[in-house]
Amino acid sequence: VNIKELVNTIIPSTDITDIEACGAAYAPTNIALCKYWGKRNKDLNLPTVSSLSITLPTKGAITRLAYRDAKDDLVIVNGNVVPKTAEFYTRVVTFLDLFRPKNLCFAVKTNSNVPISAGLASSACGFAAMVLALNDLFSWQLPLKQLSILARLGSGSACRSLYPGFVIWNKGLLANGLDSFAKKVDIDWPELCIGIVLLTTEKKNISSRKAMQISVNSPGYPKWIQNSERDIEVMLQAIFDKDFLSLGLQVENNSKALHALMLSSEPSIQYSNSATEHAKGLVADLRAEGIDVFFTQDAGANLKLLFLQQDAAKVRAKFTHLEILQPFTEQIQEYV
Ligand code: DP6
């Protein structure tokens, strides 16, 4: 599949005179409850499993895009110019190449309140905001399904960042990935809280992209896929039934299985540090006290907790650095 040709079947043809002077958009980040881990096509970010996430309305990225009279793109993240030698610069430029009319260059400015590369899904909101800003700049007026496919091409998890609440990304079966996009799950759970246990803002030593690639070659990978297929069914049922205990246990199990898979890979991948293990111990302590609180961990040392509003005070008392979010009661909002 030629990606540029594929993109041209999704976006309207660009009449250069219709292009706005600049485009801007905000996209929230999302946390996977059932993880996306492993690709059946690396170029198109097509996953081997479907995944389920929850959107965090107030954590995200705002991206502004404009044309630039220069020979190359300018990428600015949180006020810092990204050097052309950085891997991230190449990733952004390669993505913009898919949409670039003639040889025009872009200035891209992103501000994010999510720590970059610390396992808090900065690429999810970053690429989702970029696609929405492109939609604005080119006046495409594309439906969310198409925008989700385009965001996926930037970063898999970004396809889930276009919707609020619970979001499911069906892996799809087609080789061109036109059936691999995210959809909102139409169930709200206002009492649900997400706690962000920020243990480090240090950049992780291996990207999720690379770690994923290593994991798929692990002998435990086929088993992980099987478990994940069961996990997403159980989680969806628990959401429909508002069965928090069932949801929480399955979310934590899915995360544990993911990190066990990484540890058993060759080379072994370890995102946890001693602070992560300590925090997991505190979660276990709370559970022993009868409080339903569960953790999930992505490609980083930080943890995200799931609990209900009624237990928020007890959970807060246990963790010194805890930010509590209420995904279903907060509005998607720009913070800059
Ligand atoms: C652990 O979406 O960052 O957060 O598609 O290579 O950009 P690429 O990967 P990315 O991976 C996210 C991995 C995860 C799980 C998840 O968000 O589902």
Side-chain angles (χ1 to χ4, degrees), residues 9 16 42 54 70 81 86 95 116 140 143 150 182 212 229 264 317:
T9 67
I16 240 143
K42 269 194 287 180
I54 186 158
V81 174
F95 186 67
I116 309 283
W140 289 331
L150 296 179
M212 232 184 245
E229 283 166 358
S264 70

Side-chain angles (χ1 to χ4, degrees), residues 58-278:
T58 57
K59 295 277 159 200
I62 182 160
T63 295
R64 296 184 178 83
L65 271 174
Y67 284 110
R68 176 166 195 251
D69 192 11
K71 286 197 191 65
D72 44 23
D73 295 332
L74 173 68
V75 182
I76 301 176
V77 177
N78 292 340
N80 302 312
V81 174
V82 179
K84 280 191 261 171
T85 49
E87 218 172 294
F88 183 70
Y89 180 86
T90 313
R91 199 166 154 191
V92 170
V93 170
T94 311
F95 186 67
L96 291 172
D97 284 344
L98 298 174
F99 312 98
R100 196 183 301 281
K102 309 244 184 300
N103 287 323
L104 291 175
C105 286
F106 295 102
V108 187
K109 268 190 183 182
T110 295
N111 283 301
S112 166
N113 62 351
V114 177
I116 309 283
S117 288
L120 288 165
S122 59
S123 72
C125 55
F127 281 95
M130 187 123 67
V131 164
L132 291 171
L134 285 162
N135 186 51
D136 187 34
L137 179 76
F138 293 125
S139 308
W140 289 331
Q141 298 184 304
L142 283 174
L144 286 172
K145 173 182 154 180
Q146 263 76 8
L147 293 171
S148 177
I149 292 173
L150 296 179
R152 190 201 74 223
L153 297 173
S155 181
S157 52
C159 79
R160 300 185 307 235
S161 266
L162 298 171
Y163 310 86
F166 293 118
V167 178
I168 183 161
W169 171 15
N170 280 311
K171 63 179 177 168
L173 298 168
L174 297 174
N176 63 11
L178 290 179
D179 59 348
S180 185
F181 52 87
K183 276 188 203 159
K184 183 171 168 20
V185 177
D186 271 323
I187 292 191
D188 283 2
W189 201 335
E191 299 80 20
L192 195 84
C193 296
I194 298 285
I196 309 269
V197 187
L198 194 59
L199 302 165
T200 174
T201 52
E202 252 172 57
K203 205 172 170 309
K204 52 198 170 199
N205 48 22
I206 176 165
S207 69
S208 49
R209 186 159 282 197
K210 285 188 188 136
M212 232 184 245
Q213 197 46 39
I214 294 169
S215 300
V216 293
N217 297 318
S218 157
Y221 191 68
K223 181 82 185 132
W224 189 84
I225 295 186
Q226 261 180 21
N227 285 349
S228 163
E229 283 166 358
R230 177 209 56 208
D231 291 349
I232 200 163
E233 290 307 320
V234 174
M235 285 181 208
L236 283 170
Q237 191 61 49
I239 290 170
F240 289 123
D241 298 343
K242 295 270 167 83
D243 181 344
F244 184 68
L245 188 62
S246 167
L247 176 67
L249 284 171
Q250 212 65 31
V251 167
E252 197 171 290
N253 280 342
N254 182 267
S255 168
K256 282 179 181 163
L258 172 70
H259 289 273
L261 171 74
M262 289 194 230
L263 279 174
S264 70
S265 300
E266 180 53 48
S268 182
I269 302 155
Q270 161 86 282
Y271 282 114
S272 303
N273 59 28
S274 55
T276 316
E277 295 312 321
H278 177 72

